[in-house]
Amino acid sequence: MDLKATPYFLISPYFILFAIFGLFPLVFTLWVSLQDYGLAGGDASFTGLENYTKLLADSDFWNAVINTVGIFILATVPQLVLALLLANALNKRLRGRLFFRLGVLVPLVTSVVAVAIVFTQLYGRDFGLFNWLLGFVGVDQHIDWQSAKWSSWTAIATMVDWRWTGYNAIIYLAGMQTIPRDLYEAASIDGASPRRQFWQITLPMIRPTIIFTVFVSTIGGLTLFAEPVMFASNRMDGGATGQFQTIAMYIVEQGFRNFDYGYAAAAAWLLFVLILIGVGINYMFVRRIGGSK
């Protein structure tokens, strides 16, 4: 009994909690997505794939998809590159290394609401700091950062980068510290420069760590919600023309503003499929670092 039953008993809390808070919501959302399910009341009626068919023909949904992917690319690529460079710098022998390592985590513990409010002020059209700085390089016309896709995407991407770059840098740093120092010493004796050591030793050795951060960043980037909502002053439409409405904002708008819960559930499942596609593409790309296995 001790050898056969006890291990299952010890691991059961995780699976029980996952079944209640993970598996059941997934199955329930799938069932709802096949219904004409009004959140405001009324009986649900089975409609099959009608919600998915309407959703695939909905221009507003595809606008949200384009916005989400665009912000994701603008935020994630610079974020991970900067995190790698920052982690490599923090892995060197520096004075006050502990101070700098703790310092990069400060944005992570800052409230996302506070971050959004500060950045909204920085990107203000009339009195924002960034427009003031652009005036020094000859850009006299004030940019309305919320009015266009490229400007709103850039503003939201900088919020995400400021908040999460340090987090990824610490993860990369932890991976770098597991690399045996003998490899770097041998490479130095053979005449390898620090840059060559970074490309030939550091990156291949932390490839599993990079894959992990890419997965997490992909999931977080494609489910982006808090930053654009705060940037839009708690509006779910993402601006006058939906120029920065993400899929998560679209789901909340459909489910809890328009009370079309079945339609929102279908959008949530399509977001799930989009995340799987994004993770698969990123995995095929990242696994080539240091040679595929």
Side-chain angles (χ1 to χ4, degrees):
M1 179 67 68
D2 289 342
L3 294 177
K4 295 183 178 180
T6 301
Y8 293 101
F9 175 76
L10 294 175
I11 66 174
S12 62
Y14 165 78
F15 290 98
I16 293 174
L17 291 175
F18 173 76
I20 297 173
F21 298 104
L23 185 60
F24 171 74
L26 283 173
V27 176
F28 179 74
T29 304
L30 179 61
W31 177 81
V32 170
S33 70
L34 302 176
Q35 310 283 326
D36 181 10
Y37 197 107
L39 192 62
D43 296 331
S45 58
F46 182 79
T47 58
L49 299 178
E50 181 178 341
N51 284 327
Y52 292 94
T53 304
K54 291 170 56 179
L55 198 62
L56 292 175
D58 189 344
S59 60
D60 291 336
F61 172 74
W62 287 110
N63 175 69
V65 171
I66 294 173
N67 291 338
T68 303
V69 174
I71 296 173
F72 163 70
I73 294 173
L74 278 179
T76 303
V77 175
Q79 176 190 146
L80 297 183
V81 172
L82 289 173
L84 268 175
L85 298 177
L86 184 59
N88 190 52
L90 293 174
N91 198 36
K92 307 294 183 183
R93 295 186 180 274
L94 300 172
R95 289 184 178 181
R97 284 188 300 176
L98 181 60
F99 171 78
F100 290 112
R101 291 174 180 177
L102 293 176
V104 298
L105 290 176
V106 171
L108 184 62
V109 300
T110 306
S111 170
V112 64
V113 176
V115 172
I117 292 175
V118 171
F119 272 85
T120 300
Q121 296 299 318
L122 292 176
Y123 282 105
R125 183 188 62 182
D126 298 322
F127 303 104
L129 177 63
F130 289 114
N131 277 337
W132 180 71
L133 293 175
L134 289 174
F136 284 100
V137 295
V139 182
D140 296 328
Q141 183 178 4
H142 288 180
I143 300 174
D144 187 354
W145 295 93
Q146 292 187 357
S147 64
K149 282 185 179 291
W150 70 269
S151 57
S152 58
W153 290 3
T154 302
I156 295 170
T158 55
M159 295 186 206
V160 177
D161 289 345
W162 186 85
R163 182 170 169 80
W164 294 104
T165 297
Y167 167 81
N168 289 308
I170 291 299
I171 294 179
Y172 289 147
L173 178 62
M176 291 177 183
Q177 292 184 333
T178 64
I179 302 175
R181 305 306 300 179
D182 297 344
L183 294 177
Y184 293 104
E185 294 173 359
S188 299
I189 294 174
D190 291 338
S193 64
R195 179 179 298 179
R196 186 172 181 84
Q197 292 177 29
F198 176 77
W199 285 104
Q200 299 296 326
I201 298 176
T202 305
L203 283 184
M205 294 295 290
I206 65 169
R207 184 175 62 174
T209 306
I210 295 175
I211 292 175
F212 168 76
T213 57
V214 168
F215 282 8
V216 173
S217 298
T218 300
I219 296 172
L222 295 179
T223 58
L224 187 64
F225 179 76
E227 286 84 355
V229 168
M230 295 304 300
F231 189 63
S233 301
N234 291 325
R235 293 171 55 184
M236 293 298 164
D237 56 3
T241 59
Q243 59 267 25
F244 56 92
Q245 184 186 48
T246 63
I247 302 177
M249 296 169 67
Y250 179 84
I251 292 172
V252 173
E253 181 184 37
Q254 295 299 322
F256 300 100
R257 297 293 173 87
N258 298 337
F259 304 111
D260 195 344
Y261 201 45
Y263 199 66
W269 267 93
L270 288 183
L271 173 59
F272 175 69
V273 173
L274 179 63
I275 291 174
L276 291 181
I277 295 173
V279 168
I281 293 174
N282 286 332
Y283 176 72
M284 289 188 294
F285 175 76
V286 175
R287 71 190 294 268
R288 298 179 181 273
I289 297 177
S292 60
K293 292 183 180 180

